[in-house]
Coordinates of all heavy atoms in Angstrom, one line a residue:
L38 N -142.1 -120.1 -157.9 CA -141.2 -119.6 -156.8 C -141.4 -120.5 -155.6 O -142.5 -120.6 -155.1 CB -141.5 -118.2 -156.5 CG -140.6 -117.5 -155.5 CD1 -139.2 -117.4 -156.0 CD2 -141.2 -116.2 -155.1
E46 N -131.5 -111.6 -138.6 CA -130.5 -111.1 -137.7 C -131.1 -109.8 -137.2 O -131.3 -108.8 -137.9 CB -129.2 -110.8 -138.5 CG -128.1 -110.3 -137.5 CD -126.8 -110.1 -138.3 OE1 -126.8 -109.6 -139.4 OE2 -125.7 -110.4 -137.7
G132 N -149.4 -79.4 -137.6 CA -148.5 -79.3 -136.5 C -148.9 -80.1 -135.2 O -148.3 -79.9 -134.2
L153 N -118.4 -87.8 -131.9 CA -117.7 -88.4 -133.0 C -116.2 -88.1 -132.9 O -115.8 -87.0 -132.6 CB -118.2 -87.9 -134.3 CG -119.7 -88.3 -134.6 CD1 -120.0 -87.7 -136.0 CD2 -119.8 -89.8 -134.6
I194 N -123.9 -93.0 -144.8 CA -124.0 -94.3 -145.6 C -123.1 -95.3 -145.0 O -121.8 -95.1 -145.0 CB -123.8 -94.1 -147.1 CG1 -124.8 -93.1 -147.7 CG2 -123.9 -95.4 -147.8 CD1 -124.3 -91.6 -147.6
E210 N -119.6 -103.6 -136.7 CA -119.4 -102.2 -137.1 C -119.2 -102.2 -138.6 O -118.7 -103.1 -139.2 CB -118.1 -101.6 -136.5 CG -118.2 -101.5 -135.0 CD -116.9 -100.9 -134.4 OE1 -116.0 -100.6 -135.1 OE2 -116.9 -100.6 -133.2
V261 N -127.9 -84.1 -154.6 CA -127.8 -85.4 -155.3 C -126.3 -85.7 -155.4 O -125.6 -84.9 -156.0 CB -128.5 -85.3 -156.7 CG1 -128.4 -86.7 -157.4 CG2 -129.9 -84.8 -156.7
P289 N -117.0 -88.2 -153.7 CA -118.0 -88.3 -154.7 C -117.5 -87.7 -156.1 O -116.8 -86.7 -156.1 CB -119.2 -87.5 -154.2 CG -118.6 -86.6 -153.2 CD -117.4 -87.2 -152.6
W300 N -136.1 -86.9 -154.9 CA -136.7 -88.2 -154.6 C -136.4 -89.3 -155.7 O -135.6 -90.2 -155.5 CB -138.2 -88.1 -154.5 CG -138.6 -87.4 -153.2 CD1 -138.9 -86.0 -153.1 CD2 -138.7 -87.9 -151.9 NE1 -139.1 -85.7 -151.8 CE2 -139.0 -86.9 -151.1 CE3 -138.5 -89.2 -151.4 CZ2 -139.2 -87.1 -149.7 CZ3 -138.6 -89.4 -150.0 CH2 -139.0 -88.3 -149.2
R345 N -124.6 -76.3 -167.7 CA -125.4 -75.3 -168.5 C -126.9 -75.7 -168.5 O -127.2 -76.9 -168.7 CB -124.8 -75.1 -169.9 CG -123.4 -74.7 -169.9 CD -122.8 -74.7 -171.3 NE -121.4 -74.3 -171.3 CZ -120.6 -74.4 -172.3 NH1 -121.0 -74.9 -173.5 NH2 -119.3 -74.0 -172.2
V355 N -139.0 -74.4 -175.3 CA -137.7 -74.1 -174.6 C -137.8 -72.7 -174.0 O -138.2 -71.8 -174.7 CB -136.5 -74.2 -175.6 CG1 -135.2 -73.8 -174.9 CG2 -136.4 -75.6 -176.2
E415 N -134.8 -97.2 -180.5 CA -134.5 -98.5 -181.1 C -133.0 -98.8 -181.1 O -132.6 -100.0 -181.3 CB -135.0 -98.5 -182.5 CG -134.4 -97.5 -183.5 CD -135.2 -96.2 -183.5 OE1 -135.8 -95.9 -182.5 OE2 -135.2 -95.6 -184.6
Y416 N -132.2 -97.8 -180.8 CA -130.7 -98.1 -180.7 C -130.2 -98.2 -179.3 O -129.0 -98.4 -179.1 CB -130.0 -96.9 -181.4 CG -130.4 -96.7 -182.8 CD1 -131.2 -95.5 -183.1 CD2 -130.1 -97.6 -183.8 CE1 -131.6 -95.3 -184.4 CE2 -130.6 -97.3 -185.1 CZ -131.3 -96.2 -185.4 OH -131.8 -96.0 -186.7
L431 N -148.9 -90.9 -165.1 CA -147.6 -91.2 -165.7 C -147.3 -90.0 -166.7 O -148.2 -89.4 -167.3 CB -147.7 -92.5 -166.6 CG -147.6 -93.8 -165.9 CD1 -147.8 -94.9 -166.9 CD2 -146.2 -94.0 -165.2
N541 N -157.6 -95.0 -135.9 CA -157.7 -93.7 -136.4 C -159.0 -93.5 -137.3 O -159.0 -94.0 -138.4 CB -156.5 -93.3 -137.2 CG -156.6 -92.0 -137.9 OD1 -157.5 -91.2 -137.6 ND2 -155.7 -91.7 -138.9
V595 N -146.9 -95.7 -176.9 CA -146.1 -96.9 -177.2 C -144.6 -96.4 -177.2 O -144.3 -95.5 -178.0 CB -146.5 -97.5 -178.5 CG1 -145.5 -98.7 -178.9 CG2 -147.9 -98.1 -178.4
M623 N -153.7 -105.9 -164.6 CA -153.9 -105.2 -163.3 C -154.0 -106.2 -162.2 O -154.8 -107.2 -162.3 CB -155.1 -104.3 -163.4 CG -155.4 -103.6 -162.1 SD -154.2 -102.4 -161.6 CE -155.0 -101.4 -160.4

Side-chain angles (χ1 to χ4, degrees):
L38 180 68
E46 184 179 40
L153 293 180
I194 299 88
E210 297 184 353
V261 184
W300 292 97
R345 300 172 181 173
V355 177
E415 60 270 30
Y416 305 108
L431 284 174
N541 174 13
V595 175
M623 177 65 162

